[in-house]
Amino acid sequence: MAKSQSEAVKAPKEKIDPGILKIALILVLGAIVPLLDSTMINVAINTLAVDLHSTVSTTQWVITGYVLTMGLAVPVSGWAIQRFGGKNLYLFSLGLFLISSLLCSLAWSTESLIGFRLLQGAGAGLLVPTITNVLVQSAGGRGLGRLIALISIPTLIGPILGPVIGGLIMDNMSWRWIFYVNIPVMLVALWLSWRHIPKGEAAARRPKFDFLGLLLLSPAFAVLIYGISQISSEGLSSAEAIIPLAAGIVLSAAYIVYALRTKQAPLLDLHLFRSRHFLASNIILFFSGMVMNGALLLLPLYYEQVRGESVLTTGLLLIPQGVGMLLTRSWIGKLADRAGSRNLVLVSLAVTLVSSIPFAFAGTDTSHMVLGAAQLIRGAAMNGIFIPIMVSAYEGLQKEQIPHASISTRIFQTIGGAFGSAVLATVIGHQLKSGAGGSLASLADAYQVAFWWSVGFAAVSFLPALLLSNRKKQKAA
């Protein structure tokens, strides 16, 4: 009898509240479209340039502009959540993305498409941090590992499925369908969100809008992303990269001084970084962004350039990494709720590092089975890095601190991803310039060096991971 009573008491701790689970699934539906959209458009740039009678360099701003306005909008989300409430901001973000998708599908020129993509990027920049904020506040800190495992699925599989879906669309339909497919999904997400997501309360003391913080932090984030993206195409020593990077660093430094000295509520509360665990979590998010996005850049290029695969075949060859991510999500989420972050992250980093090594030896005829198995293991291990870090970042935070944490984690992960991609693209370019001609063998060698750099990113991540907490040991103590 005592045993059954004990089990009855423990049962609620082991299950996610059905209402919270429903909210998480609705949030996943809202998140998946922006993340798929941003990767599907990558495979359409050449077609867009031809159909809209433009150049590839100009059409590239369809991607760059989206990223820049997303960067400008992310810091605003924290204030907007406190001012209007999480649900209201989420509905507004969905509506903005829906309208801008419709406008993109009707674009008549490159300039009009770029303008509508700027609007779409602003919607995505508000949407993604708001999703995390709504979920964390709805859950009240319970079962965060399993919930983050659920809502982060689009973030991890979007870059893998996006090129496949984009390739199918480009092979069989007009590029406008990349935006048409967003519309029904966003309409369903809007209706479900309006019906089932509880109305988030605005802060009791509604903060004044931090105009000076916005003028410093949002441009700092945007120009840093732009400067980093220019490294791969123009080189680190070029003015196109140095000027925006320098501007971003100066604006970031100015914001740090301002935010620590101002008496009003800043756009991003830097006092959160006094916590060793929060600081370590954000640093690892930076490096995990490098590890993940670097691979997402290298793998498709390796298959297409070294192995001569088509866009669609390349997308199919990348599926094992997505499958690996899906296989361990539930298990890792439960483990992150029960155990400390440090050991789980350290083990996952070690597996990620080892499973990346086969690509550092991949040549022009390496078995697809070997590379597929490495991707599967690598994808499974990446969950053990991302999920526990996100849980650690939100542990012990007050309700009013959660929007600030959502902004910070998004900024660090985005900048890390952009930096990792830029560094690896630069490594490949440098290797090809210093190598012997443009033979297939020299191209394969260049990718091997770049993959070794990706292994190095994972190795460096061990240092901040040592600063994470081991909650299980603390409870025992």
Side-chain angles (χ1 to χ4, degrees):
M1 182 70 177
K3 184 178 179 181
S4 62
Q5 289 178 341
S6 175
E7 289 175 352
V9 172
K10 290 182 180 179
K13 295 182 181 179
E14 297 172 355
K15 294 183 179 179
I16 300 176
D17 181 87
I20 301 300
L21 183 60
K22 181 169 66 176
I23 292 172
L25 292 171
I26 294 171
L27 293 173
V28 167
L29 183 64
I32 199 164
V33 172
L35 293 165
L36 282 174
D37 184 271
S38 61
T39 53
M40 286 192 295
I41 197 70
N42 292 342
V43 303
I45 291 300
N46 288 330
T47 304
L48 287 171
V50 173
D51 285 2
L52 297 174
H53 309 291
S54 183
T55 62
V56 171
S57 59
T58 301
T59 309
Q60 191 70 30
W61 275 94
V62 169
I63 297 173
T64 305
Y66 177 91
V67 174
L68 290 182
T69 51
M70 185 180 69
L72 289 170
V74 165
V76 181
S77 64
W79 169 83
I81 288 168
Q82 293 180 305
R83 178 67 178 82
F84 302 107
K87 178 178 180 177
N88 290 336
L89 181 59
Y90 182 64
L91 291 173
F92 174 79
S93 305
L94 286 175
L96 183 59
F97 198 89
L98 169 63
I99 292 170
S100 56
S101 295
L102 178 61
L103 292 172
C104 286
S105 70
L106 301 174
W108 57 90
S109 66
T110 303
E111 291 75 19
S112 64
L113 181 57
I114 291 171
F116 297 144
R117 282 282 287 175
L118 295 178
L119 190 63
Q120 201 178 41
L126 291 172
L127 184 65
V128 177
T130 305
I131 287 171
T132 309
N133 182 83
V134 169
L135 183 68
V136 173
Q137 290 198 353
S138 299
R142 296 182 297 274
L144 277 185
R146 285 166 287 176
L147 291 172
I148 289 174
L150 182 61
I151 65 162
S152 60
I153 288 176
T155 306
L156 297 175
I157 69 172
I160 296 171
L161 293 183
V164 177
I165 299 172
L168 287 171
I169 289 174
M170 297 312 298
D171 284 347
N172 300 284
M173 292 178 281
S174 164
W175 60 264
R176 297 181 188 275
W177 278 95
I178 288 177
F179 303 106
Y180 287 151
V181 296
N182 296 346
I183 296 171
V185 180
M186 297 306 282
L187 285 172
V188 172
L190 267 170
W191 182 76
L192 290 174
S193 302
W194 176 68
R195 286 289 305 273
H196 298 291
I197 291 181
K199 187 175 182 180
E201 297 180 0
R205 292 180 59 189
R206 297 186 177 184
K208 293 181 179 179
F209 187 64
D210 183 12
F211 282 104
L212 183 54
L214 176 67
L215 292 175
L216 293 173
L217 184 58
S218 286
F221 184 29
V223 297
L224 278 173
I225 294 296
Y226 176 71
I228 290 170
S229 69
Q230 291 297 99
I231 293 175
S232 58
S233 58
E234 305 295 336
L236 182 58
S237 59
S238 67
E240 289 83 353
I242 290 177
I243 292 175
L245 285 175
I249 292 171
V250 170
L251 287 170
S252 298
Y255 178 80
I256 291 171
V257 173
Y258 162 75
L260 293 176
R261 299 181 67 176
T262 185
K263 294 181 180 179
Q264 74 176 66
L267 209 60
L268 172 60
D269 185 6
L270 299 182
H271 292 97
L272 287 174
F273 289 93
R274 289 176 177 173
S275 165
R276 185 189 74 182
H277 309 304
F278 186 80
L279 176 61
S281 297
N282 280 273
I283 293 174
I284 301 172
L285 278 174
F286 176 85
F287 283 111
S288 68
M290 293 176 68
V291 172
M292 186 179 300
N293 284 46
L296 291 174
L297 167 77
L298 290 179
L299 289 173
L301 291 175
Y302 164 77
Y303 282 124
E304 291 175 17
Q305 295 183 2
V306 178
R307 307 303 292 270
E309 306 291 354
S310 66
V311 173
L312 180 57
T313 303
T314 296
L316 295 173
L317 288 169
L318 294 174
I319 286 178
Q321 182 162 285
V323 172
M325 293 173 180
L326 291 173
L327 286 175
T328 57
R329 298 204 66 70
S330 178
W331 176 67
I332 291 290
K334 292 176 183 177
L335 195 58
D337 285 333
R338 293 198 308 265
S341 301
R342 187 174 63 198
N343 291 342
L344 186 54
V345 171
L346 288 173
V347 171
S348 301
L349 278 171
V351 177
T352 301
L353 189 153
V354 172
S355 58
S356 299
I357 291 177
F359 293 96
F361 290 100
T364 57
D365 57 355
T366 304
S367 168
H368 284 310
M369 293 293 291
V370 172
L371 298 181
Q375 281 192 71
L376 184 73
I377 297 170
R378 194 178 189 280
M382 286 299 298
N383 287 326
I385 303 173
F386 178 75
I387 295 172
I389 293 171
M390 291 297 289
V391 172
S392 178
Y394 285 99
E395 275 180 1
L397 297 185
Q398 302 297 320
K399 183 177 180 180
E400 63 273 11
Q401 294 176 313
I402 292 173
H404 296 276
S406 299
I407 294 172
S408 175
T409 53
R410 182 65 183 169
I411 287 176
F412 272 80
Q413 191 177 8
T414 302
I415 291 180
F419 188 71
S421 299
V423 168
L424 294 179
T426 303
V427 168
I428 293 172
H430 177 74
Q431 289 296 313
L432 291 177
K433 286 180 182 178
S434 60
S439 67
L440 202 58
S442 64
L443 186 62
D445 290 341
Y447 277 99
Q448 288 177 2
V449 173
F451 278 118
W452 276 117
W453 275 74
S454 181
V455 171
F457 294 160
V460 173
S461 303
F462 278 93
L463 296 176
L466 294 173
L467 299 176
L468 291 171
S469 64
N470 237 347
R471 225 177 353 163
K472 198 171 183 180
K473 288 184 178 180
Q474 289 175 347
K475 286 183 179 179

